[in-house]
Every structure is written in structure tokens, then in C-alpha cells.
Amino acid sequence: MFSLASTLGSLFFLIGLVLSIYGLSTDGQPMYEKSLGWNLNLIWGGVMFVAGCLFYLGGHLSKSPK
């Protein structure tokens, strides 16, 4: 049975991965002029990716052995 942390970790991991790939593929586009040239898709995609990894690992490591 999956814990809530593992499920949310998987969700954050996948959304962060998709957002990071989108940020990498649109790097240098003029749409980033509104955010002072910062690629926010890449930044927040990376944050969500790392948070997803931490949630997923925390959910698996917290299970006590039977």
C-alpha cells in the first residue's frame, strides 16, 4: 500500500520533470523578459522535482519493517 507522501512525491516528481523540460526547451525566449529574464519554469520545475524526490524517499524510508 502506498502512503500519501509517496503518492504526492510521485506527482510532484512528474510535474517538476515536465515543467523543467518545458523550461529547458523554451530557454532564451522573449516571454521571459516579463520575469526579468529568469526562466521561472525551469527554476520551479527543479524545486518541484527535488521536493518530489524528498517526499517519495521520505515515504519509503518511514515504513517500518514487519
Side-chain angles (χ1 to χ4, degrees):
M1 188 166 139
F2 288 105
S3 67
L4 183 61
S6 297
T7 306
L8 286 176
S10 300
L11 180 69
F12 278 117
F13 176 82
L14 289 175
I15 293 173
L17 184 65
V18 169
L19 196 58
S20 296
I21 290 171
Y22 179 73
L24 285 172
S25 66
T26 60
D27 195 28
Q29 296 289 325
M31 68 177 158
Y32 294 118
E33 291 175 7
K34 292 181 181 179
S35 61
L36 302 175
W38 289 31
N39 189 342
L40 295 176
N41 292 320
L42 183 60
I43 293 169
W44 282 107
V47 168
M48 289 181 71
F49 182 82
V50 170
C53 290
L54 292 175
F55 269 101
Y56 190 77
L57 288 175
H60 279 291
L61 293 177
S62 67
K63 293 181 181 177
S64 59
K66 292 183 178 181

